Amino acid sequence: MQQIQHYVLFHNHDSGMRLYHELRRIGIRAVISPTPRAASKCCGISLMIEETDVEAVRHYAEEKKIEILKIAAIEKDVNPKRDRYC
C-alpha cells in the first residue's frame, strides 16, 4: 500500500516557522521536518501536514501573506530495518 506524506516547502526558514506557529494557533496539526531532497533542494525545513489539511493550509498561508514554495506529495519511505544495527 502506497502512503503519501504532504510537505509544505518554503523559500526560507522564517516563513516556515511563522506558518508553523500560525497553524498551531488555529488548531491545524503540522510537524517541522527536514525538507526531503526528492521534493526540493531549497530551504532545509518543511512542514508535514495531513492530506485533509492541504487546501486549508494553502488558503491560510495566502490569507496571512506567508510565502510558500509549494506543497509536495511524496511517497513515504517506510523501511522497517532503518536504524537497526543488529
Side-chain angles (χ1 to χ4, degrees):
M1 181 176 163
Q2 185 182 34
Q3 294 181 338
I4 303 295
Q5 182 63 57
H6 292 80
Y7 293 87
V8 183
L9 308 177
F10 303 94
H11 291 287
N12 60 57
H13 176 268
D14 293 333
S15 295
M17 293 306 295
R18 203 169 132 222
L19 183 60
Y20 172 74
H21 290 293
E22 289 290 336
L23 293 176
R24 284 192 58 181
R25 188 176 62 75
I26 64 169
I28 294 178
R29 185 175 184 274
V31 177
I32 298 171
S33 169
T35 301
R37 293 298 159 228
S40 177
K41 292 178 176 49
C42 66
C43 178
I45 73 158
S46 62
L47 297 180
M48 288 191 303
I49 60 172
E50 297 294 325
E51 182 176 12
T52 55
D53 294 329
V54 168
E55 287 307 314
V57 168
R58 186 174 282 130
H59 175 76
Y60 195 73
E62 186 177 304
E63 180 182 302
K64 292 293 183 176
K65 299 188 184 341
I66 300 172
E67 189 175 355
I68 62 172
L69 183 61
K70 67 180 176 178
I71 298 178
I74 305 291
E75 185 177 350
K76 267 188 179 177
D77 181 18
V78 179
N79 180 352
K81 294 185 179 192
R82 187 170 78 194
D83 298 329
R84 181 180 279 171
Y85 304 103
C86 298

